[in-house]
Amino acid sequence: MNDIKISVIIPSYNAEKYIARCIDSVLNTGYDNLEIICINDGSKDGTLAVLRDYEKKYDSIKVIDIPNGGVSRARNLGIEKISGDFVTFIDADDWIHPQFFSILLDAQQKYDSDISIGNYTKIKEYYIDKEFTINESDIKFFEGDSFLEYGIYEGSSCMRLYRASLIKNIRFYTDIKYGEDTLFNLSLYANNIDIKATVTNCIVYYYYMTPGSSTSKLELDKYIHTFKKYRDIVEEENDPRKAKIYLSKSIPDCLSCSLRVKYSDNKKTANKELNKVLFDSLKLAKKYKCFPFSKYMYFQVFAKFPFVYRWFRIMNDPTIREWEKLENKKYKQNKNKKA
């Protein structure tokens, strides 16, 4: 299987403390036919020096030094440089299981899939799971519409092997700060409707929880900006099939985001902007006939009457009440601090 060349793209920004662990985890897989493309994204610490040391020691490692432009721009540059048959992305502070390539390639070979996807875990200290043995029943296969139906596009672009020929013309959007990976995966599907994917639950990727990091700190305006991006893509593409793909993701997410508005510091502006992009998206959904009439009407009712949507969500997921209590508590605490 070593005749399959794999390109590994590792963007690095101020990762001096972690980058060696990340690269070592790739080298320790024992897979020889690799090119490891490390992009130093304008680091201000000693990251570049560490990368240069590895570049001198290993012929498979190539270092590219660029001014800071963000992880998406760095990944895009990496895509431009690849020569492998398959591609994977690894964040500089994370690491992979020693069987990362063998597990994902075994699954890929079984169905000749275009994307082979493993599982991940969030972790606060270095750890590696035991050795895995894969049975046929552990591998699930998805093709075409099931990629959208079962949400195979959701989540990180890490822990995946992509067929290089399919992503060479796909790029990460550099003008959004939330959901870049999901939008990348959706774009891949939108441009390759017969895409095939294999999925296994083996934990092959370790997502390091950097001290102080928390997705709950993400500002509401970043969500809204991403929803606007989906809307703009649909308008630019002017393609009914692609419109369904993008709006099937963005409209439900936009509705879900409406639950967050009352905990925003600027409720009035946030609510106005969110409603604007939501109703714009619904107009596009109607134009391109993205949904059955009944589903479209559900979305319309939920958009016009947010309290109906809230109770619908609570009935389907009672834990939302607990989430609301926590968010309300944090909102009051932040308000008291500013007073």
Side-chain angles (χ1 to χ4, degrees):
M1 197 178 294
N2 270 22
D3 59 330
I4 297 175
K5 185 176 181 179
I6 298 176
S7 301
V8 181
I9 298 174
I10 307 177
S12 309
Y13 175 71
N14 290 350
E16 180 183 11
K17 295 179 181 178
Y18 314 112
I19 188 61
R21 179 180 65 190
C22 176
I23 296 174
D24 286 343
S25 75
V26 178
L27 297 172
N28 290 338
T29 60
Y31 196 85
D32 295 328
N33 198 0
L34 296 173
E35 65 170 357
I36 305 171
I37 303 172
C38 300
I39 299 100
N40 179 55
D41 187 26
S43 297
K44 298 177 181 178
D45 61 1
T47 299
L48 181 59
V50 176
L51 292 176
R52 291 299 187 199
D53 284 343
Y54 272 94
E55 187 178 36
K56 291 175 183 176
K57 294 177 183 177
Y58 299 95
D59 293 336
S60 60
I61 296 177
K62 179 180 181 180
V63 175
I64 302 172
D65 184 29
I66 59 173
N68 180 252
V71 63
S72 291
R73 178 171 171 267
R75 286 173 174 173
N76 288 342
L77 178 60
I79 293 173
E80 293 174 9
K81 304 296 182 182
I82 59 174
S83 63
D85 302 295
F86 283 84
V87 185
T88 191
F89 303 93
I90 305 176
D91 289 340
D93 51 351
D94 300 337
W95 63 94
I96 61 175
H97 190 279
Q99 291 174 269
F100 181 92
F101 297 114
S102 61
I103 288 173
L104 295 186
L105 280 175
D106 282 346
Q108 185 277 327
Q109 294 282 288
K110 179 175 174 58
Y111 292 99
D112 190 30
S113 62
D114 302 303
I115 307 176
S116 185
I117 307 168
N119 205 349
Y120 76 100
T121 185
K122 293 182 179 181
I123 198 165
K124 294 183 178 180
E125 58 184 19
Y126 182 78
Y127 173 79
I128 292 288
D129 283 277
K130 63 182 186 334
E131 185 174 338
F132 295 108
T133 301
I134 300 295
N135 301 314
E136 285 192 18
S137 59
D138 297 323
I139 302 172
K140 296 181 180 179
F141 176 71
F142 300 89
E143 186 174 15
D145 289 345
S146 63
F147 191 82
L148 183 66
E149 182 181 354
Y150 293 97
I152 309 304
Y153 59 86
E154 294 275 11
S156 175
S157 58
C158 303
M159 73 202 180
R160 301 177 184 232
L161 284 181
Y162 297 91
R163 191 182 298 276
S165 59
L166 293 190
I167 74 165
K168 281 187 176 179
N169 294 320
I170 307 296
R171 295 292 184 270
F172 290 89
Y173 286 92
T174 59
D175 55 347
I176 60 174
K177 301 297 182 183
Y178 160 73
E180 307 98 314
D181 293 64
T182 293
L183 187 49
F184 176 84
N185 291 325
L186 270 182
S187 298
L188 179 61
Y189 169 56
N191 288 279
N192 299 278
I193 197 65
D194 296 321
I195 200 166
K196 296 182 289 184
T198 45
V199 180
T200 173
N201 278 328
C202 292
I203 294 174
V204 296
Y205 192 91
Y206 299 87
Y207 177 85
Y208 179 60
M209 298 291 289
T210 307
S213 66
S214 174
T215 54
S216 64
K217 294 178 181 177
L218 189 61
E219 298 92 341
L220 189 60
D221 63 339
K222 292 182 181 178
Y223 285 94
I224 296 172
H225 184 69
T226 297
F227 302 145
K228 289 178 180 178
K229 190 67 183 181
Y230 276 87
R231 177 199 61 194
D232 294 345
I233 292 171
V234 171
E235 290 177 336
E236 290 167 8
E237 293 282 356
N238 194 27
D239 183 323
R241 181 182 62 80
K242 292 183 179 181
K244 179 181 178 181
I245 291 170
Y246 291 115
L247 294 177
S248 291
K249 168 63 177 172
S250 66
I251 290 176
D253 281 6
C254 204
L255 285 168
S256 182
C257 198
S258 67
L259 298 176
R260 297 175 177 268
V261 171
K262 62 183 176 181
Y263 308 114
S264 170
D265 289 334
N266 196 346
K267 298 184 187 67
K268 188 175 181 180
T269 300
N271 192 57
K272 182 179 179 181
E273 291 187 357
L274 187 62
N275 279 336
K276 176 70 167 60
V277 70
L278 175 56
F279 283 103
D280 283 350
S281 299
L282 286 169
K283 286 178 183 177
L284 290 168
K286 183 179 181 180
K287 174 183 176 180
Y288 293 113
K289 299 179 181 178
C290 295
F291 310 113
F293 180 75
S294 58
K295 188 172 184 179
Y296 174 77
M297 289 309 298
Y298 270 118
F299 286 150
Q300 279 283 0
V301 170
F302 290 155
K304 290 180 179 178
F305 305 102
F307 68 92
V308 175
Y309 174 71
R310 175 177 175 269
W311 280 110
F312 172 81
R313 288 292 305 274
I314 289 172
M315 283 189 291
N316 286 275
D317 183 6
T319 62
I320 286 188
R321 281 183 171 273
E322 292 302 314
W323 173 81
E324 286 181 331
K325 288 179 182 179
L326 288 172
E327 290 299 310
N328 191 48
K329 183 179 179 180
K330 287 189 288 185
Y331 174 71
K332 288 181 178 179
Q333 287 175 343
N334 290 333
K335 196 172 182 180
N336 289 334
K337 286 180 182 178
K338 293 177 181 178

